[in-house]
């Protein structure tokens, strides 16, 4: 218990905020290229053999990659229960659509080659495209809505209340800025998927992936820059009105919050966070140049840097806010008032310290074993995909 006493409540909240961001970045870096490859399938593969090549490039790893999504969801549930409760209450239909798409994708991978019928395979290829592109879009839309503020308020007993029916809640999420962030998300992951295909394939598939990935990178860079300009000029930020108890009770109504200024004022308060958007832009530039020049590993590493920077820039810009409310700013959830107890966070940290290295080592071993390009011989030898 000495370490428990040494790590303050404030420190544990900061650590778990950082770990939550790392888990989401890990999901985007791994399962993100799976989604990008699935979204590219109709455009880079013209024959059945080419489509099977594309699917074989992700078939052995997609299952392990989704572990990061499960870990992220579990971390929110245990470390940030108010965030889990409020977000699932308001985004229920959107969450259901994401989960349905994530279920559709592996079913398509497993079932498309069960029959040699071209119509059968074409339908499952379309399902794989939808199951990959839809989550990429919806995750980006969700991020845009978080930056804009979510229409919820908390009652004195901390029950979340949203206005309107379920369908109306979904339609309210499709705001122009949220759609812009959705486009950034899709184009970013398509670029990431193209970088993966440039490593795993050769021939026409690789050439098409390089061309489309270059275009996707340009769209991602332009959308990311435009999103920053919109945040600077048209979206109000959030701020505390007084002193904040960083080790205070987990009650969002304990502190007072107002909408004022811009989210980008965070860069004046904490100039060092500029490293995140710089990583985003430089990573995209490196990935584009790598795709054009045919530098496979460099392209993939630059794509990873871009994804990390773009996602990190959102969390660092919003800090300490996690889920702001645009109808009652005082109900906004932050790092300092939406966590589990001190003991819970500590016990979870011990578990994370034990199991995270094991997950990382196993993941590294899997990628080492499966490294190399997928060939037509591999496709013919493994007819299950």
């Amino acid at each position: 218990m000495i370490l428990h006493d040494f790590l303050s409540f404030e420190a544990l909240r900061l650590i778990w905020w950082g770990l939550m961001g790392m888990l989401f970045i890990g999901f985007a870096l791994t399962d993100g290229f799976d989604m990008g490859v699935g979204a590219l399938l109709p455009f880079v593969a013209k024959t059945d053999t080419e489509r099977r090549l594309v699917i074989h490039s992700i078939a052995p790893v997609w299952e392990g990659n989704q572990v990061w999504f499960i870990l992220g969801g579990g971390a929110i549930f245990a470390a940030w229960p108010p965030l889990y409760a409020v977000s699932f209450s308001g985004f229920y239909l959107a969450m259901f659509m994401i989960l349905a798409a994530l279920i559709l994708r592996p079913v398509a991978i497993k079932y498309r080659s069960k029959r040699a019928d071209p119509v059968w395979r074409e339908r499952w290829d379309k399902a794989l495209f939808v199951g990959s592109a839809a989550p990429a879009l919806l995750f980006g839309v969700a991020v845009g809505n978080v930056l804009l503020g979510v229409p919820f308020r908390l009652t004195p007993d901390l029950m979340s209340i949203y206005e309107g029916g379920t369908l109306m809640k979904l339609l309210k999420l499709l705001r122009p800025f949220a759609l812009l962030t959705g486009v950034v998300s899709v184009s970013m992951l398509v670029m990431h998927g193209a970088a993966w295909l440039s490593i795993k394939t050769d021939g026409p598939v690789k050439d098409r992936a390089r061309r489309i990935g270059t275009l996707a990178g340009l769209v991602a860079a332009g959308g990311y820059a435009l999103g920053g300009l919109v945040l600077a000029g048209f979206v109000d930020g959030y701020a505390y009105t007084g002193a904040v108890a960083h080790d205070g009770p987990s009650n969002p109504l304990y502190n007072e919050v107002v909408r004022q200024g811009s989210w980008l004022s965070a860069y004046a308060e904490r100039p060092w966070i500029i490293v995140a958007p710089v990583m985003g832009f430089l990573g995209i530039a490196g990935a584009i140049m790598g795709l054009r020049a045919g530098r496979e590993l460099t392209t993939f590493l630059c794509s990873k840097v871009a994804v990390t920077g773009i996602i990190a820039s959102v969390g660092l810009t919003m800090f300490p806010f996690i889920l702001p409310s645009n109808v009652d700013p005082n109900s906004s959830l932050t790092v300092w008032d939406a966590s589990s107890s001190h003991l819970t966070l500590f016990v979870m940290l011990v578990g994370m310290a034990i199991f995270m290295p094991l997950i990382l080592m196993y993941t590294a071993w899997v990628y080492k074993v499966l490294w190399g390009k997928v060939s037509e011989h591999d496709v013919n030898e493994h007819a299950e995909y």
Side-chain angles (χ1 to χ4, degrees):
M1 297 300 291
I2 296 177
L3 184 59
H4 169 263
D5 295 333
F6 176 75
L7 289 173
S8 66
F9 201 7
E10 175 185 356
L12 285 171
R13 282 169 162 169
L14 276 174
I15 290 170
W16 271 104
W17 173 79
L19 286 174
M20 183 174 66
M22 289 175 56
L23 291 174
F24 286 143
I25 290 173
F27 171 63
L29 291 179
T30 55
D31 208 39
F33 70 73
D34 292 342
M35 288 186 279
V37 168
L40 281 167
L41 180 64
F43 309 103
V44 299
K46 303 302 182 183
T47 67
D48 185 66
T49 299
E50 289 179 352
R51 286 190 284 272
R52 292 179 65 198
L53 275 171
V54 171
I55 293 172
H56 268 74
S57 74
I58 60 172
V61 296
W62 71 264
E63 211 162 7
N65 290 342
Q66 287 203 177
V67 167
W68 295 96
F69 182 65
I70 297 169
L71 284 173
I76 292 176
F77 175 78
W80 311 97
L83 174 62
Y84 185 90
V86 174
S87 60
F88 270 78
S89 296
F91 299 152
Y92 182 82
L93 187 54
M95 294 284 190
F96 179 83
M97 293 171 64
I98 289 174
L99 291 175
L102 291 176
I103 292 170
L104 183 63
R105 181 177 49 148
V107 172
I109 293 174
K110 296 291 186 181
Y111 273 70
R112 66 94 55 198
S113 292
K114 295 298 183 183
R115 294 171 57 184
D117 181 8
V119 176
W120 168 272
R121 293 188 173 186
E122 182 182 359
R123 289 173 178 171
W124 284 115
D125 289 339
K126 291 178 179 177
L128 178 55
F129 168 75
V130 172
S132 302
L137 175 66
L138 291 173
F139 281 129
V141 169
V143 170
N145 276 281
V146 170
L147 286 165
L148 291 170
V150 181
F152 75 93
R153 60 184 177 86
L154 298 176
T155 63
D157 57 357
L158 301 184
M159 179 180 294
S160 61
I161 296 177
Y162 284 80
E163 303 296 333
T166 302
L167 181 59
M168 185 59 64
K169 293 176 189 175
L170 179 63
L171 294 176
K172 287 181 178 180
L173 299 180
L174 303 178
R175 293 177 278 185
F177 178 75
L179 292 175
L180 172 61
T181 57
V183 170
V184 173
S185 175
V186 172
S187 56
M188 175 185 73
L189 295 184
V190 166
M191 178 191 71
H192 198 37
W196 176 254
L197 286 177
S198 74
I199 292 179
K200 298 295 290 183
T201 65
D202 268 323
V205 171
K206 178 179 178 178
D207 294 338
R208 296 181 193 120
R210 287 172 57 193
R211 290 195 299 269
I212 298 173
T214 299
L215 178 61
L218 293 172
V219 173
Y224 187 44
L226 179 58
L229 292 175
V230 173
L231 281 181
F234 301 98
V235 179
D236 291 335
Y238 289 73
Y240 284 113
T241 58
V244 180
H246 296 165
D247 58 352
S250 292
N251 183 346
L253 302 179
Y254 187 74
N255 298 296
E256 292 189 6
V257 175
V258 295
R259 298 203 69 173
Q260 65 179 22
S262 165
W263 279 122
L264 301 191
S265 61
Y267 291 88
E269 300 168 3
R270 304 184 299 276
W272 63 270
I273 67 175
I274 193 67
V275 67
V278 168
M279 286 175 60
F281 283 115
L282 290 182
I284 292 174
I288 291 173
M289 290 188 290
L291 286 168
R292 290 175 63 87
R295 294 192 295 269
E296 298 172 357
L297 185 58
T298 300
T299 298
F300 193 56
L301 292 176
C302 286
S303 181
K304 284 179 175 290
V305 170
V307 172
T308 300
I310 290 173
I311 296 176
S313 67
V314 176
L316 292 171
T317 298
M318 291 183 58
F319 181 86
F321 293 90
I322 304 175
L323 190 68
S325 168
N326 60 12
V327 295
D328 179 20
N330 286 334
S331 297
S332 300
L333 307 184
T334 76
V335 172
W336 310 125
D337 55 28
S339 72
S340 292
S341 68
H342 189 181
L343 179 60
T344 300
L345 295 181
F346 175 75
V347 172
M348 287 178 58
L349 184 61
V350 172
M352 183 70 77
I354 295 172
F355 291 106
M356 181 57 73
L358 297 177
I359 293 172
L360 291 173
M361 287 189 291
Y362 176 75
T363 301
W365 177 78
V366 168
Y367 278 91
K368 182 179 183 297
V369 170
L370 298 173
W371 197 252
K373 291 185 180 293
V374 180
S375 65
E376 188 172 338
H377 171 74
D378 298 323
V379 169
N380 293 329
E381 186 177 355
H382 302 280
E384 64 270 25
Y385 297 118

